[in-house]
Amino acid sequence: MASRRRDHRRHRDEPGGLARPDARRILAVAPTPAPAAELPLRHLTAMLKRFGRRGNTEADAERLH
């Protein structure tokens, strides 16, 4: 269990983790999976783009939804 927690902290601080500014902004709007699921997919996609996410934002939005 301790190693699992350590891995979680490590991933949180990596460039793609929760420390990213775009991830923090998404969490401000949808802090848990339930509010994220209630947002329309197109809104999640638009927020990701607006907050600076690059690449396949549609796939990222699907994963969050």
Side-chain angles (χ1 to χ4, degrees), residues 17-49:
L18 293 176
R20 289 176 54 143
D22 59 334
R24 294 284 184 188
R25 289 174 137 175
I26 293 293
L27 286 170
V29 175
T32 64
E38 292 175 7
L39 289 171
L41 193 57
R42 68 179 190 279
H43 288 183
L44 276 174
T45 303
M47 285 188 331
L48 288 169
K49 288 178 182 178

